[in-house]
Amino acid sequence: MNILVVYDSEGGHTEALAKAIALGAEKTEEATVFIQHVNEADVHELPNMDAIIWGCPGHFGTISSGLKAWIDKLGYLWAKGQLINKVGAVFCTTATTHGGLEATLLNLITPMLHQGMIIAGLPGNIPENALYGSYYGVGISCPVESDVLITEQDKALGMALGQRVVELTKRMVQV
């Protein structure tokens, strides 16, 4: 299986979360994982992926302009139906607890639904998600006053999402 993690990051927080997600997917030893900053990711490679995970910092409850510009290049893939039935998942970071995590996650999911992708969230039975997480993907707060990019709990959430995407993708590609 080929899994692509695409991220936009400004202060390093979202990149650290993207790396945790990729690590979780890699630990399964069942997938080849590619991780790319949005400025390096080539939309023409997406048809070669079995799953696509994208994320960014939340900007006032919505997608960062960098990732949004990249997503806006997916029109020709939509026209050809090339992402239909691929597994998709999302993640984001914000600077404050009420910085629009869930709104950003929902905004990140919408283009995947338009593409016909199958969305993988994090259910409540995943221990890392039970008390601190979102069912829509991974959304974490990274307070600006902290020197820590992401906490161990944040890393665990990211790894759990990466593992879940591999588990679901494995089911899809075997069908």
Side-chain angles (χ1 to χ4, degrees):
M1 290 175 286
N2 291 322
I3 312 281
L4 176 63
V5 179
V6 178
Y7 67 93
D8 189 11
S9 187
E10 296 157 3
H13 303 91
T14 312
E15 179 180 12
L17 183 55
K19 287 179 180 179
I21 293 166
L23 179 63
E26 289 169 345
K27 278 193 166 194
T28 67
E29 298 182 1
E30 298 181 85
T32 303
V33 181
F34 304 89
I35 181 170
Q36 297 177 330
H37 187 276
V38 70
N39 292 340
E40 300 165 354
D42 182 357
V43 297
H44 297 93
E45 293 298 318
L46 295 181
N48 301 324
M49 298 298 138
D50 298 299
I52 304 157
I53 307 168
W54 63 49
C56 65
H59 288 184
F60 309 106
T62 195
I63 305 170
S64 69
S65 62
L67 185 59
K68 179 67 168 85
W70 184 82
I71 290 170
D72 286 346
K73 296 176 187 174
L74 303 180
Y76 83 96
L77 293 171
W78 171 83
K80 294 181 178 183
Q82 291 185 301
L83 301 184
I84 291 173
N85 293 333
K86 293 192 184 288
V87 174
V90 299
F91 61 99
C92 73
T93 61
T94 60
T96 62
T97 302
H98 301 288
L101 285 174
E102 288 192 339
T104 302
L105 292 171
L106 289 169
N107 281 307
L108 288 165
I109 288 170
T110 301
M112 290 182 168
L113 292 170
H114 281 257
Q115 293 286 346
M117 296 173 71
I118 299 165
I119 309 303
L122 277 181
N125 69 341
I126 293 176
E128 296 84 4
N129 202 42
L131 296 174
Y132 179 70
S134 171
Y135 305 112
Y136 309 120
V138 175
I140 62 171
S141 297
C142 306
V144 294
E145 66 274 7
S146 175
D147 292 334
V148 177
L149 287 177
I150 63 172
T151 67
E152 288 302 313
Q153 177 70 33
D154 299 336
K155 184 176 178 182
L157 282 168
M159 290 177 64
L161 183 65
Q163 291 167 352
R164 178 158 167 79
V165 167
V166 170
E167 291 168 11
L168 293 174
T169 305
K170 181 178 165 184
R171 292 179 186 180
M172 297 298 297
V173 297
Q174 287 181 351
V175 173

